[in-house]
Amino acid sequence: MSTELESTRRALRDAVAQAERAAELARLLGAAEAKLVAAEQSAAEARSLAERLSEVEERLAAEQAAADRLRKDLAEQRFQAEVANWKLSSIKVARWNRLGDAIKSGKSNPVRLARGLRGAAKPVKRPIAPKRKPLAVAKAKDERPGAAYQATSTTRTLGGASFKLKPFRVPTGPNTRPHLTAAVIADPHAEALLRYEWRQTTGFTPRDFARVLPLEVPHLLVVESVAQGPWVEEITGEPGEGLKALLAWCAERGIRTVFWHTQGDVAAYAAAAELFEHRFTTDLTVAWPRLQFGVQPRVHNPLPLSGGRIDRVLTLDQLLPGHLTYPDVLTSYRWAAAVDCPPGTPQWRLAELAACGTPIGTEADTRRAHVALRRAYQMGTMTERIDELLDAIGLPGARATLNTSVMLPIMDPFLMEHALAQVAKQSGVDQLIVIGPPESELRARDLLPDVEIVYRRPHPAMTEGAMLDAGIDLCEADLVAVMDPRDVYGPHYLSDLRRAFLFSTADIVGKAAFYAHLRKPQATLLKQPDAEYAYLPEIAGATLLARRNTLREIGFADLTDGWDEVLMRQCRTDGIKVFSADRFGYVRVRDEDRWLLGAAHLVEYGSAEPHALI
């Protein structure tokens, strides 16, 4: 009996304890529900406030636009009033008007009439016509890439000495894919790499993206693992409401979303990254698809500073003090004679330095710098990286190409083998236009089996310029090169020359600085060593690489000697930009050349190829 009583008591105690726990749970659940209701109310209030803020901002923008129109109308009315006053003043001082006044006032007094006519005959300074004054209104935001992204720091300090630099001007275009628009959230470095690859919208925040992005609805959203700015808290740790709202906005419109992990612990961004359709990383230890940094030709290129380089080898810390913005970093890249980089320097930093033509090491070796520049571009540009990205996410990445047609006029049959061998060395040749002896067609097909060969037999009386003028209509590639059968071209000649179209705005590229070899004196010369990487009035015709449409518009003069001089003169007349690239990869070969002897520096007596072909 006592055992049953004890069991009953225990059961009652357990029941009471469970009831107490249930009551506590009910209380906690009630409190949680109350908090949830309060949170929903707060969220509704926040949404309401956000909508009201958006409406207020829209009204403010409308009022500002109306105010701008009123200011413009008022300024125009003031200008028209000034014009009317000027016209009236001009009529008053006009000679015919003054003669009429003199006749009218002196018709009854001959002396007054004579005095008035003499005064009217004297010249009088006419009033100056008014000019429209610029309207003092806020400038519209320039959306061209680089427009609001310029270097500002003009001084550097070394060992207590101050150096003033003219900052590198960040270019404002063009875009590689103008048909594509991307909304981008990125730190300045990644933004500089991406801004020329498409039409880019940046600067929007979690608060205003719904107002900013509809102005030009993007095709994709790219979010970097940023370390600064208003989106940091949204993408680190638990995803923020602003990020969720942005991704929901994109999902409603079919906008592809990409998360790009470039820095920091990937675990800190993992939760936010899972919300995106596509994820990429630069970290080899992360099991996501790779999207590595590449050089951006529009800003990582050998275009020099206007003041040139300082004659010093600097350490990386001296070159890039911590306070520089990224546009100022682009200025510093071009400043030192060479940069001594410590072990462990990121590969992307080394590539950017090399792409700017800066020697890396303890010596200012221009030959090694050129090879490093070539290697940096071969490792991949951002244009090629974005091609891979767009292919992976299913967006068209169509863009202009650097496909090349080569025109080879062979006037001397004895030069045929040498000339075709020079073309066969080159990479990236899509088409060869051979104008020469009949046997050159079959020989070209043997040496270049993967290249489209177009052969034309010239008339015996045709000049070299006439051959080229006939050949230009046969070219199909975007770029057209002219090669001289007498000269020597290195295997990287065309690929190096084509690179200039990635960072210059020229329609014609070639070499004004180059090596030459004169057979009779066995002399190697260097012509215009200071004419590298510059827009100049002319380049050598044997190094011509131009946009096909430009050459078709200009045409070639019916000359054998001097057709290139006429072409360059026409470019100057028409305002066509001509760019001189590096000195390497080409040797002009002649028996003798008085013009070269007077315009070049003697390098040595011997072969030019060890100097030029690297």
Side-chain angles (χ1 to χ4, degrees):
M1 188 69 179
S2 61
T3 304
E4 293 178 359
L5 183 59
E6 184 62 28
S7 298
T8 302
R9 287 175 178 170
R10 242 188 340 264
L12 285 172
R13 282 197 301 270
D14 292 342
V16 170
Q18 290 178 1
E20 290 176 349
R21 286 197 295 271
E24 180 64 18
L25 288 173
R27 186 184 65 78
L28 293 174
L29 180 59
E33 289 176 346
K35 289 182 179 179
L36 181 60
V37 170
E40 290 176 350
Q41 291 175 346
S42 298
E45 291 175 0
R47 284 193 296 270
S48 176
L49 288 173
E51 291 174 358
R52 289 169 57 190
L53 177 62
S54 179
E55 292 174 359
V56 170
E57 289 177 340
E58 290 176 0
R59 287 201 301 270
L60 178 60
E63 290 174 359
Q64 288 177 340
D68 289 342
R69 286 195 298 272
L70 288 174
R71 279 197 294 268
K72 184 177 180 180
D73 292 343
L74 179 59
E76 181 64 22
Q77 291 174 8
R78 286 175 175 169
F79 174 71
Q80 293 300 337
E82 291 176 359
V83 169
N85 289 330
W86 167 72
K87 289 181 178 179
L88 180 60
S89 301
S90 299
I91 291 173
K92 288 181 178 179
V93 300
R95 181 172 296 179
W96 61 267
N97 188 67
R98 289 185 286 117
L99 286 172
D101 290 343
I103 293 171
K104 183 178 179 181
S105 61
K107 61 183 180 180
S108 59
N109 189 331
V111 176
R112 183 184 297 172
L113 175 64
R115 189 182 301 117
L117 291 176
R118 282 197 303 272
K122 295 180 181 179
V124 177
K125 187 177 181 181
R126 296 176 67 91
I128 300 174
K131 294 182 180 180
R132 274 193 172 86
K133 298 177 182 179
L135 192 60
V137 296
K139 293 184 179 179
K141 184 180 179 182
D142 193 339
E143 295 296 342
R144 294 176 302 166
Y149 190 81
Q150 298 299 335
T152 56
S153 178
T154 60
T155 59
R156 303 291 187 274
T157 302
L158 290 176
S162 182
F163 299 85
K164 189 172 183 180
L165 284 68
K166 186 172 183 180
F168 171 70
R169 179 73 180 173
V170 179
T172 55
N175 287 319
T176 303
R177 303 172 188 83
H179 65 281
L180 201 62
T181 300
V184 174
I185 298 170
D187 284 339
H189 177 219
E191 185 183 338
L193 300 181
L194 297 172
R195 64 190 312 119
Y196 303 96
E197 298 304 324
W198 41 43
R199 293 175 59 84
Q200 184 157 294
T201 301
T202 59
F204 53 92
T205 68
R207 190 186 70 179
D208 65 7
F209 74 85
R211 179 174 56 84
V212 174
L213 295 185
L215 300 177
E216 185 175 2
V217 178
H219 298 90
L220 75 160
L221 168 72
V222 179
V223 177
E224 187 202 10
S225 52
V226 292
Q228 55 183 303
W231 290 95
V232 173
E233 295 183 359
E234 297 285 333
I235 65 173
T236 53
E238 190 66 24
E241 293 300 322
L243 178 64
K244 292 178 181 178
L246 172 61
L247 294 176
W249 187 90
C250 291
E252 291 173 0
R253 292 158 179 79
I255 299 169
R256 290 169 172 80
T257 57
V258 174
F259 185 82
W260 188 21
H261 170 244
T262 61
Q263 58 187 328
D265 185 359
V266 70
Y269 305 100
E274 286 298 322
L275 302 179
F276 288 76
E277 295 177 280
H278 305 275
R279 290 163 292 279
F280 297 88
T281 182
T282 59
D283 192 339
L284 299 178
T285 65
V286 179
W288 292 349
R290 300 284 178 269
L291 180 60
Q292 301 290 352
F293 289 134
V295 296
Q296 174 51 258
R298 300 295 289 143
V299 295
H300 304 137
N301 57 59
L303 292 175
L305 296 181
S306 61
R309 295 181 181 271
I310 188 175
D311 189 21
R312 294 192 191 184
V313 177
L314 305 181
T315 66
L316 192 60
D317 289 339
Q318 289 174 321
L319 185 75
L320 302 175
H323 65 276
L324 296 180
T325 65
Y326 193 72
D328 294 318
V329 168
L330 297 175
T331 298
S332 289
Y333 278 167
R334 295 163 165 80
W335 183 45
V339 180
D340 186 11
C341 296
T345 301
Q347 187 62 44
W348 62 264
R349 178 76 77 187
L350 296 174
E352 290 182 3
L353 277 166
C356 292
T358 301
I360 297 174
T362 57
E363 296 180 3
D365 189 331
T366 56
R367 291 168 57 83
R368 288 181 57 190
H370 182 75
V371 173
L373 183 154
R374 180 189 298 154
R375 189 179 299 118
Y377 273 82
Q378 288 173 345
M379 290 170 60
T381 64
M382 277 310 297
T383 299
E384 294 164 333
R385 300 281 192 257
I386 297 304
D387 284 342
E388 299 169 3
L389 168 69
L390 296 175
D391 184 61
I393 68 176
L395 281 178
R399 58 183 175 87
T401 71
L402 297 180
N403 296 340
T404 306
S405 296
V406 174
M407 290 200 294
L408 187 66
I410 304 175
M411 304 188 71
D412 184 349
F414 293 102
L415 293 173
M416 181 189 71
E417 285 290 339
H418 172 79
L420 291 174
Q422 304 309 304
V423 181
K425 296 178 185 177
Q426 308 304 316
S427 62
V429 177
D430 297 275
Q431 183 187 40
L432 174 61
I433 313 297
V434 181
I435 308 173
E439 59 271 20
S440 60
E441 180 181 8
L442 291 177
R443 188 57 180 148
R445 297 188 188 281
D446 289 340
L447 290 175
L448 295 96
D450 299 326
V451 175
E452 178 190 353
I453 306 297
V454 178
Y455 170 74
R456 290 294 183 271
R457 184 172 184 175
H459 188 276
M462 287 182 73
T463 64
E464 184 174 335
M467 292 182 185
L468 295 172
D469 205 49
I472 189 63
D473 290 330
L474 303 173
C475 296
E476 297 178 353
D478 293 336
L479 300 179
V480 174
V482 175
M483 295 177 67
D484 194 313
R486 297 171 291 180
D487 297 336
V488 175
Y489 297 84
H492 301 286
Y493 164 75
L494 269 182
S495 58
D496 282 352
L497 210 55
R498 275 195 299 265
R499 190 183 307 123
F501 283 100
L502 299 177
F503 56 79
S504 75
T505 56
D507 289 316
I508 294 180
V509 169
K511 295 179 185 292
F514 57 84
Y515 288 92
H517 182 70
L518 304 181
R519 290 196 188 96
K520 285 190 175 180
Q522 284 295 302
T524 289
L525 309 172
L526 176 58
K527 184 175 186 297
Q528 298 188 105
D530 296 329
E532 293 181 291
Y533 300 119
Y535 294 94
L536 295 174
E538 59 184 37
I539 47 90
T543 66
L544 180 74
L545 180 65
R547 300 192 188 278
R548 180 188 59 190
N549 292 338
T550 300
L551 283 186
R552 280 181 171 170
E553 291 174 3
I554 301 174
F556 292 86
D558 189 6
L559 298 168
T560 292
D561 295 324
W563 63 262
D564 52 344
E565 296 177 12
V566 176
L567 182 71
M568 292 296 104
R569 189 159 57 245
Q570 189 63 47
C571 288
R572 294 193 290 274
T573 300
D574 295 348
I576 295 172
K577 285 187 176 182
V578 177
F579 185 79
S580 173
D582 59 88
R583 72 181 71 175
F584 301 107
Y586 165 75
V587 179
R588 180 185 177 101
V589 180
R590 300 291 183 270
D591 287 334
E592 56 185 0
D593 192 324
R594 293 182 180 177
W595 173 75
L596 271 177
L597 286 173
H601 303 295
L602 177 66
V603 176
E604 70 168 359
Y605 288 98
S607 175
E609 294 187 14
H611 299 278
L613 307 187
I614 59 174

